[in-house]
Each structure stands twice: as C-alpha cells, then as structure tokens.
Amino acid sequence: MEKHDGRDTGEVRFDDPWYDALASGWGELDSTGAPAVPFARPEHEGRTGGTADVYLEVQRSAAFQEVRSRYRRFVVPGVAVFFTWYVGYVVTATTAPGFMARPVTGAVNVAMVAGLGQFLSTFLFTWAYARHARLRRDRAALDLRWDTQELTRSVRGGER
C-alpha cells in the first residue's frame, strides 16, 4: 500500500470516517472463533474530545442538516413511488393474468410493456438521483468534508 504523506507508522487510525471497516476484517472470526480484529483498542478506550467532537459538531451543523434534508426530500418520495410501481406490477401480474396477457401489438402484451417499463423506470430513477446529487448535494457535501478535515487536522495539532 502506498503512503503519500511520507510517514509509515504502521498504525491504523480507527477514528478516520473514511476508513472502510468492512474491508478491514471487522466482524470476521479467526481460526479460534475470536474476532479477527478486536472491537476495542486499549489506546483508544476512554479517549474523550478530539476528532469525535468535531464530527458531532459537523453533524449538528445547519450545513450538514441541509444536505441530509435535500437527500431525504428526493429519496423518500422517489423510493415510495418506485416501490409502489414495482409492487403494483407484481400484484397485477399475479392477480390479473388475463389483463397482463392482453395483446398490445403483435406478440407484445401488457406484461411485456410493463416489464420493460420496470427497467426503464430503474434507469430513469438512477439518472434522476445522480442528477439531483450532482446539482443539489455534491458541492455542499464536498465543502462539509473539506471543513471537517480541516477541523480534525487542527484538533490533532496540525498533524496529517
């Protein structure tokens, strides 16, 4: 693994929010049945303040709440509509096979058109989500991430 900051301490920072715990082996068992990665490190136990306070402060900030609010305002109605459409398709296919078998044109019936509509709506929802994120959340989230990194760097005394 390449280190860009010039220091190789061999230490894993567990307070790093970008640290991927699942990829690190958390929750996996070793050959004895014990956790492969212990859940608590003695040097991190009992620690107060520091970067944890920074993340709590950022989470309580108006900017963070606005990003979360924008996310929820898109995702909650979008998922509700998408899920209703999906369940409606499945319920109609199982309870009204005669309707679904009705021909639309040639060998194409209502079930085929609705099934293709499921694929189309999936792609449409994905496109709309990506567009919404790009236009309404990404810049604010990147600004928050930058501010958070600057605050944690200052709390740790400028170390990188």
Side-chain angles (χ1 to χ4, degrees), residues 7 11-21 24 26 39-41 43-45 47-56 148-149 151-153 155-157 159-160:
R7 296 187 317 178
E11 173 184 321
V12 177
R13 296 193 52 88
F14 294 103
D15 58 346
D16 182 3
W18 311 114
Y19 175 71
D20 188 358
S24 68
W26 283 91
F39 292 106
R41 301 281 187 187
E43 65 269 15
H44 294 289
E45 289 178 0
R47 187 174 62 169
T48 59
T51 57
D53 289 340
V54 169
Y55 292 111
L56 287 173
T148 304
Q149 288 176 346
L151 287 170
T152 57
R153 196 170 290 129
V155 165
R156 288 185 272 155
E159 77 177 64
R160 192 149 200 274

Side-chain angles (χ1 to χ4, degrees), residues 110-143:
V110 172
M112 289 178 165
V113 171
L116 290 173
Q118 289 287 315
F119 283 103
L120 178 65
S121 64
T122 300
F123 291 118
L124 258 163
F125 185 65
T126 303
W127 170 80
Y129 176 83
R131 183 176 186 274
H132 180 268
R134 185 180 68 248
L135 295 177
R136 298 211 167 81
R137 291 193 328 265
D138 286 353
R139 174 59 54 194
L142 284 172
D143 290 344

Side-chain angles (χ1 to χ4, degrees), residues 17-18 50-68 140-141 143-152:
W18 311 114
T51 57
D53 289 340
V54 169
Y55 292 111
L56 287 173
E57 179 184 332
V58 169
Q59 184 181 12
R60 292 180 187 123
S61 72
F64 181 84
Q65 295 304 322
E66 179 61 26
V67 170
R68 294 296 296 167
D143 290 344
L144 270 172
R145 181 177 179 183
W146 180 260
D147 293 344
T148 304
Q149 288 176 346
E150 289 298 313
L151 287 170
T152 57

